[in-house]
Amino acid sequence: MTALYWQTLGEGDRDLVLLHGWGLNAEVWSCTLDRLTPHFRVHLVDLPGYGRSQGYGELSLPQMADILLAAAPACAYWLGWSLGGLVAGQVALMQPERVAGLITVASSPCFAAQGDWPGIRPDVLSGFQQQLSQDFKRTVERFLALQTLGSESARQDARLLKTVVLNQPMPSVAVLNGGLDMLRTVDQRQLLAKPTMPVLRIYGYLDGLVPRKVATLLDECWPQSSSVVIPKAAHAPFVSHPEEFTDIIHQFTASR
């Protein structure tokens, strides 16, 4: 039996859907909620197969977006971190009329490095997939450590992410493999080049998974979108810099 975890908090008059990254769950947003809930109806979601959204096997990106859209409000801001950025982008492609604005955080429309495009080497992602079946827990922990590397609060941030994982049900190897496969193969660069909704991209200057050069390249490829790079942040800017991060969200949504 499948069950999607979806919790709504807050007193605002606008809807904001928060989508987490690979291996994690909605608890990762805990450090931002007190700054968001006074202004938004915040929708906390465990992606299908992750955390409390149990019973799902490996899904394609469109299948995952379909499941979320069936539970989502009629129109909302969709914010996706890392892998969640790909999911939010897929929602915007499938039903743009239901997306008031698209916000991606430490995300890329193409995570895999190819040619002149910076990103994660495909062999690194394939290596993680192979290691999952050999040492599940250690592989997840290694990936989480990469997400905070470089920030001044790296150890503290890594502990928080690890706690988020350990305090909720763990995804299956099949679900985690499916997520890594999305990171390795999905390319939304051309598909999202001419969005029909406002688009904001937030990056960490020290991010080792989504290089800051991605921000510059997309400024050229996606001129209708805007970008912000947080100087001392790595791959989880909402964890290391929650006040600055939420200020950026408020500025973006207030101007709509």
Side-chain angles (χ1 to χ4, degrees):
M1 180 177 176
T2 57
L4 182 69
Y5 177 81
W6 189 292
Q7 182 184 19
T8 303
L9 303 171
E11 303 170 356
D13 58 358
R14 292 167 295 172
D15 291 289
L16 175 65
V17 179
L18 302 179
L19 304 181
H20 61 80
W22 184 87
L24 287 150
N25 57 71
E27 294 304 309
V28 78
W29 303 109
S30 58
C31 53
T32 67
L33 291 180
D34 62 342
R35 295 177 174 90
L36 292 174
T37 50
H39 307 278
F40 299 95
R41 283 185 297 272
V42 178
H43 300 269
L44 299 171
V45 187
D46 285 355
L47 293 175
Y50 292 81
R52 292 149 291 193
S53 293
Q54 292 294 300
Y56 297 92
E58 183 177 341
L59 299 170
S60 69
L61 196 55
Q63 288 173 326
M64 190 172 284
D66 259 335
I67 292 167
L68 297 180
L69 280 163
C75 189
Y77 287 93
W78 288 74
L79 185 155
W81 168 50
S82 196
L83 172 65
L86 290 180
V87 182
Q90 186 65 36
V91 167
L93 289 168
M94 290 168 59
Q95 294 197 28
E97 72 281 358
R98 295 183 60 183
V99 181
L102 173 63
I103 306 168
T104 64
V105 181
S107 192
S108 174
C110 178
F111 276 86
Q114 46 185 272
D116 294 332
W117 184 261
I120 309 171
R121 295 200 323 268
D123 63 298
V124 171
L125 290 169
S126 297
F128 272 115
Q129 286 182 296
Q130 293 172 2
Q131 293 160 23
L132 272 175
S133 58
Q134 299 166 5
D135 194 335
F136 176 90
K137 186 178 177 182
R138 187 179 178 190
T139 303
V140 174
E141 288 179 353
R142 282 184 58 208
F143 198 83
L144 295 180
L146 286 175
Q147 301 188 28
T148 61
L149 198 63
S151 71
E152 293 176 347
S153 54
R155 286 188 179 181
Q156 176 184 336
D157 296 348
R159 281 197 298 271
L160 185 148
L161 293 180
K162 185 176 177 181
T163 300
V164 167
V165 171
L166 295 179
N167 285 352
Q168 299 297 338
M170 289 288 285
S172 68
V173 171
V175 168
L176 290 172
N177 264 324
L180 288 175
D181 201 47
M182 290 178 196
L183 296 177
R184 187 172 57 84
T185 62
V186 171
D187 188 345
Q188 296 176 334
R189 285 176 292 177
Q190 295 302 318
L191 297 172
L192 287 169
K194 294 182 179 179
T196 58
M197 73 290 295
V199 177
L200 171 66
R201 299 172 283 111
I202 303 174
Y203 302 91
Y205 186 84
L206 304 173
D207 194 340
L209 295 175
V210 178
R212 58 184 178 271
K213 188 179 178 183
V214 169
T216 305
L217 290 172
L218 286 179
D219 286 342
E220 299 172 5
C221 299
W222 293 1
Q224 293 164 289
S225 67
S226 58
S227 66
V228 178
V229 180
I230 299 178
K232 295 184 179 181
H235 192 65
F238 54 92
V239 175
S240 60
H241 296 74
E243 186 171 352
E244 187 173 352
F245 173 80
T246 50
D247 283 348
I248 293 167
I249 302 303
H250 291 314
Q251 290 167 19
F252 174 69
T253 56
S255 64
R256 308 299 151 197

